[in-house]
Amino acid sequence: MIAGSLPRQRIKPVDRSGDRLVALVAIAGSVAFLVAALLSLALPPADRHGAWLPLHLALAGSATLAIVGVMPFFVAAFAAAAPIDVKVRFASLAAVAVGALGVASGVVMAVSWLAVAGGVSFIAGILLAGVSTVGPIRHALGPSGGIVSRAYLAALLAVTIGATLATLLVGGFGPVAEAWLRLKPAHGWLNLVGFVSLVIAGTLVHFFPTVTGTRILDRPTGRVAILGIALGGYGVPLGFAAGSGLVARIGGVATIVGALALATYASEVARRRGRWTTDRTWHLFVIGGLASSIAWFVVGTVVAGGRILVLGADPSAWSLDTVVAPLVVGWVGLAVIASGSHLLPAIGPGDQAAHARQRGVLGRVSVARLVGANAGVALLALGLPTASGPATVAGLLLVVLAMGSSALLVAIAIGIGLPRARPAG
């Protein structure tokens, strides 16, 4: 051996099969929670506590399960590092799912200990998701995702704070219960903007170019989007908690700026999109769904942020009737369905032929589903704030049909990829 030379070490390839399985289970569970949220709308308003149960199942269940299942997967890919042990990843999913169900059951049945236990389980799942996210960053061979990975960690902190406040409330903790009029808007904004919206926006900076078939752009608009949503995600809750109209208004402006920057970034990406010659209906649904979700995010943040600009940190500035349709159904719902429809044939089970069949299934009646979902969100956005019964009912029917059929197609696509049992003999 030549002096000073070192033997080459063989680089062991990273096994992502377990991580892919976790992501697949998360997508399936997320769709199941979304279906449960839609079905819960059929319950009497008193039984579902108005809009609370559908919102809880959609955000704490569907959106959070998708996030804790897929976010560490993306971070490991950014960092070119091995993912955390699959047992930790599955434990995170289980804790979030059990926690979301526990809180829902405890609140609906008025069993406080069950709601508290569910809250503790949910928080534990979020902390495990943080471990799964930090692990690959610490052993990164690549750039570790930069601002996106930091946004993920900030989002996990936001939901931990928000979930802790809610758990203390259902546990009867006096200081939180007494201040809940001010803390309720902070809790909602932390979860919806500081957590879910920040994760979706950060992911789309990398994910939307992939979906549209172009390279990831290092554009100022992408960084402004993440920073604006992060500042707003924390600024508005701080303003409500402290009773500071100035801080709340600054957070509202930052959120609106972040949403507009995300829409600008998406338009920059779309102008450079690839031209697909196969699976056109599947590409149409995925791209159309994500583009629609971004548009509803802008609408929702302008409405919600605008109320804060006018009313400041007054609790009346936070109104579920004004944010449910654009921010929960339009932004979060469409983003979850469209993202899952893209990821399933990419990371799900099955060979290339099975993935091709999955894309065919997921692209069925894509135009009708997109039009129905967006028309439903528009009707809900008009009907709920104005208490218009016909518009609200029509919007609900369209949303249930469009998103329910999309969830069914995802379930069928998952079945296509699963191995078939061979007959005996």
Side-chain angles (χ1 to χ4, degrees):
M1 180 180 294
I2 301 175
S5 66
L6 293 174
R8 288 187 177 180
Q9 292 185 348
R10 195 172 180 180
I11 299 176
K12 184 179 180 181
V14 175
D15 181 11
R16 301 199 185 279
S17 58
D19 214 27
R20 289 174 181 269
L21 178 60
V22 173
L24 174 65
V25 172
I27 292 171
S30 174
V31 171
F33 266 103
L34 184 60
V35 170
L38 295 174
L39 292 176
S40 71
L41 294 170
L43 295 173
D47 292 343
R48 53 179 164 83
H49 291 253
W52 179 84
L53 182 59
L55 283 177
H56 173 79
L57 293 173
L59 295 178
S62 178
T64 304
L65 203 63
I67 287 170
V68 301
V70 176
M71 184 172 65
F73 177 85
F74 285 146
V75 171
F78 295 155
I84 290 294
D85 192 313
V86 71
K87 294 178 183 177
V88 176
R89 303 277 281 106
F90 272 121
S92 175
L93 288 185
V96 165
V98 170
L101 290 174
V103 172
S105 302
V107 170
V108 169
M109 298 187 299
V111 181
S112 60
W113 69 263
L114 181 57
V116 171
V120 172
S121 176
F122 182 87
I123 294 168
I126 294 298
L127 294 178
L128 287 174
V131 172
S132 300
T133 302
V134 171
I137 295 175
R138 292 178 58 192
H139 301 93
L141 298 176
S144 76
I147 191 173
V148 175
S149 294
R150 289 191 286 272
Y152 286 165
L153 296 177
L156 290 172
L157 177 60
V159 73
T160 300
I161 297 171
T164 300
L165 289 174
T167 303
L168 291 172
L169 173 71
V170 297
F173 185 63
V176 171
E178 292 169 4
W180 190 246
L181 187 63
R182 289 184 291 106
L183 293 179
K184 183 179 179 180
H187 162 76
W189 198 276
L190 278 168
N191 291 335
L192 182 54
V193 178
F195 173 52
V196 176
S197 296
L198 182 56
V199 170
I200 294 176
T203 301
L204 286 176
V205 169
H206 283 268
F207 190 59
F208 196 63
T210 302
V211 167
T212 55
T214 187
R215 63 186 180 87
I216 297 171
L217 299 176
D218 183 16
R219 305 287 294 180
T221 48
R223 293 190 291 274
V224 170
I226 294 173
L227 289 173
I229 296 168
L231 289 173
Y234 280 93
V236 169
L238 180 60
F240 276 110
S244 171
L246 175 61
V247 174
R249 287 184 173 97
I250 293 173
V253 170
T255 305
I256 294 172
V257 170
L260 292 172
L262 180 64
T264 303
Y265 175 84
S267 67
E268 293 169 346
V269 170
R271 286 196 295 268
R272 295 170 172 80
R273 68 186 183 278
R275 303 297 176 182
W276 304 104
T277 58
T278 59
D279 303 310
R280 291 183 178 180
T281 55
W282 174 69
H283 288 296
L284 173 64
F285 180 78
V286 173
I287 296 173
L290 291 178
S292 298
S293 73
I294 294 170
W296 284 118
F297 183 48
V298 173
V299 172
T301 53
V302 168
V303 171
R307 289 177 62 88
I308 293 172
L309 288 177
V310 173
L311 300 173
D314 191 300
S316 63
W318 173 252
S319 170
L320 283 179
D321 286 343
T322 61
V323 303
V324 164
L327 289 183
V328 179
V329 184
W331 165 234
V332 179
L334 280 171
V336 168
I337 287 292
S339 299
S341 297
H342 179 84
L343 287 171
L344 181 56
I347 66 175
D351 54 17
Q352 290 185 357
H355 291 166
R357 292 198 300 273
Q358 287 174 332
R359 292 191 293 271
V361 167
L362 294 169
R364 290 177 184 172
V365 290
S366 56
V367 174
R369 287 188 287 137
L370 283 174
V371 171
N374 283 284
V377 174
L379 287 170
L380 285 176
L382 293 173
L384 288 174
T386 60
S388 172
T392 301
V393 171
L396 280 175
L397 287 175
L398 285 173
V399 166
V400 169
L401 285 173
M403 293 198 172
S405 60
S406 297
L408 176 61
L409 292 176
V410 169
I412 294 172
I414 291 175
I416 289 174
L418 296 177
R420 298 289 190 272
R422 296 182 178 180

Short mmCIF file of all heavy atoms in Angstrom, two decimals, residues 71-80 129-130 132-138 140 142-157 198-199 201-203 205-206 226:
data_model
loop_
_atom_site.label_atom_id
_atom_site.label_comp_id
_atom_site.label_asym_id
_atom_site.label_seq_id
_atom_site.Cartn_x
_atom_site.Cartn_y
_atom_site.Cartn_z
N MET A 71 -43.40 13.87 6.82
CA MET A 71 -42.39 14.90 7.04
C MET A 71 -40.99 14.32 7.32
O MET A 71 -40.01 14.74 6.68
CB MET A 71 -42.81 15.82 8.19
CG MET A 71 -41.88 16.98 8.44
SD MET A 71 -42.57 18.15 9.65
CE MET A 71 -42.61 17.11 11.11
N PRO A 72 -40.83 13.37 8.25
CA PRO A 72 -39.48 12.80 8.45
C PRO A 72 -38.96 12.08 7.21
O PRO A 72 -37.74 12.02 6.99
CB PRO A 72 -39.69 11.82 9.61
CG PRO A 72 -40.89 12.33 10.34
CD PRO A 72 -41.78 12.85 9.26
N PHE A 73 -39.86 11.55 6.40
CA PHE A 73 -39.47 10.91 5.13
C PHE A 73 -38.80 11.93 4.22
O PHE A 73 -37.75 11.66 3.62
CB PHE A 73 -40.71 10.30 4.47
CG PHE A 73 -40.45 9.68 3.13
CD1 PHE A 73 -40.01 8.37 3.03
CD2 PHE A 73 -40.65 10.40 1.97
CE1 PHE A 73 -39.78 7.79 1.78
CE2 PHE A 73 -40.41 9.84 0.72
CZ PHE A 73 -39.99 8.52 0.63
N PHE A 74 -39.41 13.11 4.10
CA PHE A 74 -38.83 14.16 3.27
C PHE A 74 -37.50 14.64 3.83
O PHE A 74 -36.55 14.88 3.08
CB PHE A 74 -39.80 15.34 3.15
CG PHE A 74 -40.96 15.10 2.23
CD1 PHE A 74 -42.21 15.64 2.50
CD2 PHE A 74 -40.83 14.34 1.09
CE1 PHE A 74 -43.28 15.43 1.65
CE2 PHE A 74 -41.89 14.11 0.23
CZ PHE A 74 -43.12 14.67 0.51
N VAL A 75 -37.43 14.82 5.16
CA VAL A 75 -36.20 15.32 5.77
C VAL A 75 -35.05 14.36 5.53
O VAL A 75 -33.91 14.77 5.22
CB VAL A 75 -36.41 15.57 7.27
CG1 VAL A 75 -35.09 15.87 7.95
CG2 VAL A 75 -37.37 16.73 7.49
N ALA A 76 -35.29 13.06 5.67
CA ALA A 76 -34.25 12.07 5.42
C ALA A 76 -33.77 12.14 3.98
O ALA A 76 -32.57 11.98 3.70
CB ALA A 76 -34.75 10.67 5.76
N ALA A 77 -34.71 12.40 3.06
CA ALA A 77 -34.33 12.53 1.65
C ALA A 77 -33.50 13.79 1.43
O ALA A 77 -32.50 13.77 0.71
CB ALA A 77 -35.57 12.54 0.77
N PHE A 78 -33.91 14.92 2.05
CA PHE A 78 -33.13 16.16 1.94
C PHE A 78 -31.71 15.95 2.43
O PHE A 78 -30.73 16.40 1.81
CB PHE A 78 -33.76 17.27 2.80
CG PHE A 78 -35.12 17.71 2.38
CD1 PHE A 78 -36.00 18.28 3.30
CD2 PHE A 78 -35.55 17.56 1.08
CE1 PHE A 78 -37.26 18.70 2.93
CE2 PHE A 78 -36.82 17.97 0.69
CZ PHE A 78 -37.68 18.53 1.62
N ALA A 79 -31.58 15.27 3.58
CA ALA A 79 -30.29 15.14 4.25
C ALA A 79 -29.43 14.03 3.69
O ALA A 79 -28.26 13.90 4.07
CB ALA A 79 -30.51 14.90 5.75
N ALA A 80 -29.98 13.22 2.78
CA ALA A 80 -29.27 12.05 2.26
C ALA A 80 -28.76 11.19 3.40
O ALA A 80 -27.63 10.70 3.40
CB ALA A 80 -28.11 12.49 1.36
N ALA A 129 -42.28 12.48 16.58
CA ALA A 129 -42.08 12.98 15.22
C ALA A 129 -40.90 13.95 15.17
O ALA A 129 -40.15 13.99 14.19
CB ALA A 129 -43.36 13.67 14.72
N GLY A 130 -40.73 14.73 16.25
CA GLY A 130 -39.57 15.62 16.32
C GLY A 130 -38.27 14.84 16.36
O GLY A 130 -37.29 15.21 15.70
N SER A 132 -37.84 11.91 15.06
CA SER A 132 -37.68 11.35 13.70
C SER A 132 -37.21 12.39 12.71
O SER A 132 -36.61 12.05 11.68
CB SER A 132 -39.00 10.74 13.24
OG SER A 132 -39.43 9.71 14.11
N THR A 133 -37.51 13.65 12.99
CA THR A 133 -37.11 14.73 12.09
C THR A 133 -35.69 15.19 12.36
O THR A 133 -34.91 15.45 11.44
CB THR A 133 -38.09 15.92 12.23
OG1 THR A 133 -39.42 15.47 11.95
CG2 THR A 133 -37.73 17.04 11.28
N VAL A 134 -35.33 15.30 13.63
CA VAL A 134 -34.00 15.78 14.01
C VAL A 134 -32.93 14.74 13.68
O VAL A 134 -31.81 15.09 13.28
CB VAL A 134 -33.96 16.14 15.51
CG1 VAL A 134 -32.53 16.42 15.96
CG2 VAL A 134 -34.85 17.34 15.78
N GLY A 135 -33.25 13.45 13.84
CA GLY A 135 -32.26 12.39 13.63
C GLY A 135 -31.54 12.47 12.30
O GLY A 135 -30.30 12.53 12.27
N PRO A 136 -32.27 12.48 11.17
CA PRO A 136 -31.58 12.59 9.88
C PRO A 136 -30.79 13.89 9.71
O PRO A 136 -29.76 13.91 9.04
CB PRO A 136 -32.74 12.51 8.87
CG PRO A 136 -33.82 11.79 9.59
CD PRO A 136 -33.71 12.24 11.02
N ILE A 137 -31.29 14.99 10.30
CA ILE A 137 -30.57 16.26 10.18
C ILE A 137 -29.21 16.17 10.85
O ILE A 137 -28.20 16.68 10.35
CB ILE A 137 -31.41 17.40 10.80
CG1 ILE A 137 -32.70 17.62 9.99
CG2 ILE A 137 -30.60 18.70 10.84
CD1 ILE A 137 -33.63 18.64 10.59
N ARG A 138 -29.16 15.52 12.01
CA ARG A 138 -27.90 15.40 12.74
C ARG A 138 -26.86 14.57 12.00
O ARG A 138 -25.66 14.74 12.18
CB ARG A 138 -28.16 14.77 14.11
CG ARG A 138 -28.95 15.65 15.07
CD ARG A 138 -29.21 14.93 16.37
NE ARG A 138 -27.95 14.52 17.00
CZ ARG A 138 -27.88 13.68 18.04
NH1 ARG A 138 -28.99 13.13 18.51
NH2 ARG A 138 -26.71 13.36 18.56
N ALA A 140 -26.71 14.33 8.59
CA ALA A 140 -26.90 14.71 7.19
C ALA A 140 -25.61 14.59 6.39
O ALA A 140 -24.55 15.04 6.83
CB ALA A 140 -27.45 16.12 7.09
N GLY A 142 -26.16 15.49 3.08
CA GLY A 142 -26.55 16.54 2.15
C GLY A 142 -26.84 17.83 2.89
O GLY A 142 -26.48 18.00 4.04
N PRO A 143 -27.57 18.76 2.26
CA PRO A 143 -27.81 20.08 2.84
C PRO A 143 -28.89 20.10 3.91
O PRO A 143 -29.14 21.15 4.50
CB PRO A 143 -28.23 20.92 1.62
CG PRO A 143 -28.84 19.93 0.69
CD PRO A 143 -28.03 18.66 0.86
N SER A 144 -29.57 18.99 4.17
CA SER A 144 -30.57 18.81 5.22
C SER A 144 -31.83 19.64 5.04
O SER A 144 -32.62 19.79 5.96
CB SER A 144 -29.97 19.10 6.61
OG SER A 144 -29.84 20.48 6.85
N GLY A 145 -32.05 20.17 3.87
CA GLY A 145 -33.30 20.86 3.60
C GLY A 145 -33.31 22.32 4.01
O GLY A 145 -34.25 23.03 3.71
N GLY A 146 -32.28 22.79 4.72
CA GLY A 146 -32.16 24.20 5.05
C GLY A 146 -33.38 24.76 5.75
O GLY A 146 -33.83 24.25 6.77
N ILE A 147 -33.94 25.82 5.18
CA ILE A 147 -35.04 26.53 5.80
C ILE A 147 -36.27 25.65 5.93
O ILE A 147 -37.09 25.82 6.85
CB ILE A 147 -35.36 27.82 5.00
CG1 ILE A 147 -36.33 28.70 5.78
CG2 ILE A 147 -35.91 27.48 3.63
CD1 ILE A 147 -36.55 30.05 5.13
N VAL A 148 -36.44 24.69 5.05
CA VAL A 148 -37.61 23.82 5.11
C VAL A 148 -37.56 22.95 6.37
O VAL A 148 -38.54 22.83 7.10
CB VAL A 148 -37.72 22.95 3.85
CG1 VAL A 148 -38.87 21.95 3.98
CG2 VAL A 148 -37.91 23.82 2.62
N SER A 149 -36.42 22.34 6.63
CA SER A 149 -36.29 21.51 7.83
C SER A 149 -36.48 22.34 9.09
O SER A 149 -37.10 21.89 10.06
CB SER A 149 -34.92 20.82 7.85
OG SER A 149 -34.82 19.89 6.79
N ARG A 150 -35.94 23.56 9.10
CA ARG A 150 -36.13 24.43 10.27
C ARG A 150 -37.60 24.81 10.43
O ARG A 150 -38.11 24.94 11.56
CB ARG A 150 -35.25 25.67 10.16
CG ARG A 150 -33.76 25.36 10.34
CD ARG A 150 -32.95 26.63 10.50
NE ARG A 150 -32.79 27.35 9.25
CZ ARG A 150 -31.83 27.14 8.37
NH1 ARG A 150 -30.93 26.20 8.59
NH2 ARG A 150 -31.76 27.85 7.26
N ALA A 151 -38.28 25.00 9.31
CA ALA A 151 -39.72 25.30 9.38
C ALA A 151 -40.48 24.11 9.97
O ALA A 151 -41.43 24.30 10.75
CB ALA A 151 -40.25 25.61 7.98
N TYR A 152 -40.08 22.90 9.61
CA TYR A 152 -40.72 21.71 10.18
C TYR A 152 -40.58 21.69 11.70
O TYR A 152 -41.54 21.40 12.42
CB TYR A 152 -40.09 20.45 9.60
CG TYR A 152 -40.48 20.14 8.17
CD1 TYR A 152 -39.74 19.21 7.42
CD2 TYR A 152 -41.56 20.74 7.56
CE1 TYR A 152 -40.09 18.90 6.11
CE2 TYR A 152 -41.92 20.44 6.25
CZ TYR A 152 -41.17 19.52 5.53
OH TYR A 152 -41.52 19.22 4.24
N LEU A 153 -39.40 21.97 12.19
CA LEU A 153 -39.17 21.95 13.64
C LEU A 153 -39.98 23.05 14.33
O LEU A 153 -40.55 22.84 15.42
CB LEU A 153 -37.69 22.10 13.94
CG LEU A 153 -36.79 20.96 13.43
CD1 LEU A 153 -35.33 21.26 13.73
CD2 LEU A 153 -37.20 19.64 14.07
N ALA A 154 -40.05 24.23 13.71
CA ALA A 154 -40.86 25.30 14.28
C ALA A 154 -42.33 24.92 14.31
O ALA A 154 -43.06 25.25 15.26
CB ALA A 154 -40.66 26.59 13.46
N ALA A 155 -42.77 24.22 13.28
CA ALA A 155 -44.17 23.79 13.22
C ALA A 155 -44.48 22.77 14.31
O ALA A 155 -45.55 22.81 14.93
CB ALA A 155 -44.47 23.20 11.84
N LEU A 156 -43.56 21.85 14.56
CA LEU A 156 -43.77 20.86 15.62
C LEU A 156 -43.84 21.53 16.99
O LEU A 156 -44.63 21.12 17.85
CB LEU A 156 -42.65 19.81 15.59
CG LEU A 156 -42.66 18.86 14.39
CD1 LEU A 156 -41.40 18.00 14.39
CD2 LEU A 156 -43.90 17.98 14.40
N LEU A 157 -43.03 22.56 17.19
CA LEU A 157 -43.10 23.30 18.45
C LEU A 157 -44.45 24.00 18.59
O LEU A 157 -45.05 24.01 19.68
CB LEU A 157 -41.96 24.32 18.52
CG LEU A 157 -41.95 25.22 19.75
CD1 LEU A 157 -41.83 24.41 21.03
CD2 LEU A 157 -40.82 26.24 19.65
N LEU A 198 -47.74 25.84 7.98
CA LEU A 198 -46.29 25.99 7.83
C LEU A 198 -45.67 24.73 7.24
O LEU A 198 -44.79 24.81 6.37
CB LEU A 198 -45.66 26.32 9.18
CG LEU A 198 -44.14 26.57 9.19
CD1 LEU A 198 -43.76 27.67 8.22
CD2 LEU A 198 -43.67 26.92 10.60
N VAL A 199 -46.13 23.56 7.67
CA VAL A 199 -45.61 22.31 7.13
C VAL A 199 -45.98 22.16 5.66
O VAL A 199 -45.14 21.81 4.81
CB VAL A 199 -46.12 21.11 7.94
CG1 VAL A 199 -45.77 19.80 7.22
CG2 VAL A 199 -45.52 21.11 9.33
N ALA A 201 -46.81 24.49 3.47
CA ALA A 201 -46.11 25.49 2.65
C ALA A 201 -44.65 25.13 2.47
O ALA A 201 -44.09 25.21 1.36
CB ALA A 201 -46.25 26.87 3.30
N GLY A 202 -43.99 24.73 3.57
CA GLY A 202 -42.58 24.35 3.47
C GLY A 202 -42.38 23.16 2.55
O GLY A 202 -41.42 23.11 1.76
N THR A 203 -43.28 22.20 2.63
CA THR A 203 -43.18 21.02 1.76
C THR A 203 -43.39 21.38 0.31
O THR A 203 -42.70 20.87 -0.58
CB THR A 203 -44.23 19.97 2.20
OG1 THR A 203 -43.99 19.61 3.57
CG2 THR A 203 -44.14 18.73 1.33
N VAL A 205 -42.63 23.98 -1.28
CA VAL A 205 -41.47 24.63 -1.90
C VAL A 205 -40.62 23.60 -2.65
O VAL A 205 -40.03 23.90 -3.70
CB VAL A 205 -40.65 25.37 -0.82
CG1 VAL A 205 -39.30 25.83 -1.38
CG2 VAL A 205 -41.42 26.56 -0.30
N HIS A 206 -40.55 22.38 -2.13
CA HIS A 206 -39.83 21.31 -2.82
C HIS A 206 -40.78 20.41 -3.62
O HIS A 206 -40.43 19.91 -4.69
CB HIS A 206 -39.07 20.44 -1.80
CG HIS A 206 -37.83 21.06 -1.27
ND1 HIS A 206 -36.60 20.86 -1.85
CD2 HIS A 206 -37.62 21.91 -0.24
CE1 HIS A 206 -35.68 21.56 -1.18
NE2 HIS A 206 -36.28 22.19 -0.19
N ILE A 226 -42.19 30.89 3.62
CA ILE A 226 -41.96 30.14 4.85
C ILE A 226 -41.78 31.07 6.04
O ILE A 226 -42.38 30.87 7.11
CB ILE A 226 -40.74 29.22 4.68
CG1 ILE A 226 -41.04 28.13 3.63
CG2 ILE A 226 -40.35 28.57 6.01
CD1 ILE A 226 -39.86 27.27 3.27
#
